[in-house]
Amino acid sequence: MSPAVASAKLTLSYPLYASDFDPQNNNFLLVGGGGGEGRTGVGNKIVIFADQLFVGHRLTLYQTLINSSRKQTISEVVDIDLSRDEDSVTSLAIASSTASSVTAFAGINSSQNDLNAGKNDHLRSFRLEYPPQKRANAEEGRDLGAQAYKGQTAALGRASLFTPSTAAKKETYQRVTRLSRPCNINGGQLGAIATGLAPEGEIVLFDAKTNGPMGPWVEARLPLGQGVEAADVDIIGLDDNEGSPPGTFAVAYCTDYEVHAFRMTLKQNATPEPRFSYGEPHPDVFAGKARPKFRSLRFITPHLLLLLQNRPNRQGADLLLLELSSSFQGKVAGRKSLHRGINAATALSITHLTSSPSELNQLVAAVAGQDSSIEAITIEYPSSPPFRSLKFKSHTLLRSVHPQQITSLSFSTFSPPVATESSAPPQYIKLASTSIASTIVVHTFPLSPFPPPSQKSAKQRYVLTPPGRSDAATMGLSILFSALAIALGAFFLQAFSEIRGGSPDYLGAKGWLSQRVHDYIAIPYILENGTSIAPATTAISTLSESASLSASSIADHVTNTLSHLTSSASDTATAAKEILYDTAEEAKAAVSSALDAASSAASELNAASEAYSATASSSVSSLSSAAAPRASTASHHVRDLLSRHYNYRQQQPPDSDVNHHMVIHDDEESGKLKARFHRPGAEGSGAGVKKFEELSKKEKEIWKQRLREAGVWAVDEGEAVLKGVFFGSVAGAVGAAVRGAMG
């Protein structure tokens, strides 16, 4: 859950485009905007505010106060009414401040008539004085906006530094105004401005340590080329540790697809040579033409650059950390994807917290999204290269901060308290944001000491989030612990299921418990109807016993059948003996008949024995493996004879006489199909017995349907199998017809 952040909001009478905090006092905020040239009722102003807000084209200074006993408020301190015949404030930056005043540069275009005449004093400088005793009044909680006194203001100068536009329509304006930190007193202060809507983009560098920006103080001009403009510029001073002379700065700027950087020293009259540091390569020829675009950049150290990049087609935004070599060659040292709700970023601001040479430093970055949300992120980084221990950590996401698009973000400068024996007061940093909806919102983020005071460390510093693992490391550990929890849950569930007999024994969990505990836990599963589900082992035992019983019953049945057949054979032999004593001729015939009968009985006995043995073996096998049901023995017999008859006909020469015929008929008692072979005695004779070829079409269909139902013949086998086969009458009197045909 995101931490709660205190905020104060005020709606003005004109749209706002730029803002900046006083670097010496985070209670004072400078904002500027306006309605542009000739817009009735909406002026242009620069205003300084304190404790309750007021504000047209204007530059206004505000003061914001924190009091734990009441809500934060914003009020006007000083404002400058600008000409309504000129453009609005498009960019601004505070150059320096004292206890009594603040000096600022702003980008304000001249009137359209002056632009058409080729004159555009776009760079302006102002001094705004604070009311007296501002800090005493602030501490007493007085309403400074209600006081009659207004601070004195003065316009210090104006200048036209850009190369005059050659376009038919003059639209060039001062898109970016950036100044180096005013801490480099001996080395001066470098300023940079960049064009917007120019036919050829340009960056102008000038000495900001003057009473007003005049032509002789221009240090360098950087033409960017046709249709190329700088999206953002930043400057950082190089100290003596870099081996650079006083007044040396590192400058970086980004276009849509490239980042360039260079080193520059004031008053050297040398043209800088920007070095290509990093860029987005052109997409593959088969891929889309869209590429990520750089929106903003900030120096963290002279060798570490923070880039804000928008993905193509409004698919999100990323923060990149670019490590710069001494020759300004860059490589990506870290990357952070912003919240998925930010489909495109519009502004970036950073502020440094307490530095620590021996530990990782922490800075806070804020990114504004096109959906009017703001994401605050902390970055931990070492003081010098190599930058291998970079950590991003999301702090909070502020949703719907403004009713319309955010135009600027500004962090206050954090000044750590002087170390004393007593505990230091609470520390804060402030984040101001403006929008085209004429709103100002100031969020206040509380800082906490690290290590905590309870540890009594001599190297205490202030941080927004306690140092620790990065978001990527935290996510990895979360995934790892989640996977371990799922694995343990599955393990214990499998073990419990094995103990209760609900699953096969893979883990051997039954042996982990004593018999008493096992009997208590291993309770059979009970269905809703009250029926219990037996464990798998019980089911297997039941199946084995059933198979054994079935095999025993089949074996008994086979034994009884064999005894019956043997008894029948003995009776036949006794009858043959009695017939022998009648007459010699009859005896000879009887003996011959008895021998034939005995031989046939023996053959049938062997066949029956083999059939029953095979049936018993098949039954036992089927019960053990849960096979399919047995097919009909009669159907198998008919199919076997039909196959033999077809093979026999295939082996005979064409038009040869066949010495036996196959007859298929219906059994009158059982209604099942039966078949047998007969030698041709009177071929074609007999009632109702016909070859398949002689049957009518209707009779053929009846018999084919009958054969299919019995499982003897299939359609894909064709009628060739049935040729030459005799069929009984459809009415079922096949037995008499066969006896008549055989004489």
Side-chain angles (χ1 to χ4, degrees), residues 49-64:
F49 273 83
D51 221 9
Q52 268 135 320
L53 238 214
F54 166 84
V55 214
H57 298 7
R58 274 194 200 189
L59 186 64
T60 307
L61 184 63
Y62 297 87
Q63 183 180 15
T64 61

Side-chain angles (χ1 to χ4, degrees), residues 387-406:
F387 299 101
R388 298 176 181 174
S389 302
L390 300 170
K391 297 179 181 179
F392 289 94
K393 184 177 290 186
S394 296
H395 177 67
T396 187
L397 178 68
L398 306 172
R399 302 178 184 271
S400 303
V401 178
H402 293 270
Q404 295 186 36
Q405 181 175 322
I406 296 173

Side-chain angles (χ1 to χ4, degrees), residues 704-742:
K704 286 194 292 183
Q705 178 67 23
R706 186 74 179 87
L707 294 174
R708 282 197 303 270
E709 292 175 353
V712 175
W713 175 81
V715 176
D716 56 355
E717 294 179 358
E719 295 182 358
V721 180
L722 305 177
K723 287 184 178 180
V725 179
F726 282 81
F727 290 85
S729 64
V730 179
V734 180
V738 172
R739 283 193 295 272
M742 302 303 296

